[in-house]
Amino acid sequence: MNNSLYKRLSIDEGFPRRIFNTSLILSVIIILLSMGRASYQVIMGLAIGMGISLVFFGVLWSTVDRFLLMGKKRGGSLFFIIGLSKHFILGVFLFFIFRYSRVNPISLSIGISLVHIVIILKVAGIGMVNYANRTVRS
C-alpha cells in the first residue's frame, strides 16, 4: 500500500468502539422510524438483520483483538475456526428464520449490511477530513 495513503487513512484504537456505537444508535433510530410506516415483516427483518450485523461485528472485533494478542501461530487457527463457525451458525439461524417466521428478506439484507455501511462512511469521512487538512496546509 502507498505509504502516504496509509498515513491518511490510519485509524485510532477507539475506531471499532465508535463503529459499534454508531451502528447501534442508527439501528435504534431506523427501527423507531419504521415502526409507524412499515409492516411487521419489514420491521422484524430490519431488527433481526441489524442484530446479526452487530453481533457478528462484536465477534469479529473480539477475535481480531485475541488474534493480535496471541500471535500469528496460535491465533491463526482460532481465527479460522471462529470464521468458519460464524458462517455455519449464520446459515442455520437464517434457515430457521425463513422456515418458521415471516420476515422480509430485503429488509433483512439491509439490516445485515448496516455495520458495513457505517464502516464505509466512517472511513470515507476520515479520508475526506485528512485530505481537506492536507490541502489547507499546502
Side-chain angles (χ1 to χ4, degrees):
M1 182 183 286
N2 187 351
N3 195 21
S4 65
L5 178 64
Y6 178 74
K7 285 181 183 177
R8 281 186 275 154
L9 291 179
S10 63
I11 56 175
D12 59 315
E13 189 176 313
F15 185 72
R17 170 70 58 199
R18 288 195 309 272
I19 293 288
F20 187 81
N21 290 341
T22 303
S23 299
L24 184 64
I25 291 168
L26 193 59
S27 297
V28 170
I29 290 171
I30 290 172
I31 295 294
L32 290 176
L33 290 176
S34 66
M35 281 191 168
R37 303 185 188 268
S39 67
Y40 175 76
Q41 290 86 12
V42 171
I43 295 170
M44 286 305 296
L46 285 170
I48 291 171
M50 290 173 186
I52 290 170
S53 184
L54 289 169
V55 166
F56 278 10
F57 179 74
V59 168
L60 178 65
W61 181 13
S62 67
T63 304
V64 169
D65 276 346
R66 286 192 185 120
F67 176 73
L68 294 175
L69 289 176
M70 293 174 75
K72 291 182 180 180
K73 292 193 180 216
R74 287 184 23 196
S77 59
L78 174 72
F79 196 72
F80 181 73
I81 291 169
I82 290 176
L84 281 180
S85 62
K86 179 175 75 167
H87 289 91
F88 176 74
I89 292 169
L90 177 63
V92 170
F93 188 68
L94 289 176
F95 171 76
F96 283 112
I97 286 174
F98 288 124
R99 179 82 168 118
Y100 297 110
S101 67
R102 309 252 322 141
V103 173
N104 186 341
I106 295 172
S107 64
L108 182 74
S109 299
I110 291 170
I112 288 175
S113 66
L114 175 77
V115 171
H116 300 91
I117 293 169
V118 170
I119 291 172
I120 290 169
L121 291 176
K122 287 237 182 226
V123 169
I126 289 170
M128 287 190 298
V129 166
N130 289 338
Y131 178 76
N133 286 340
R134 188 182 64 159
T135 55
V136 167
R137 283 187 232 150
S138 299

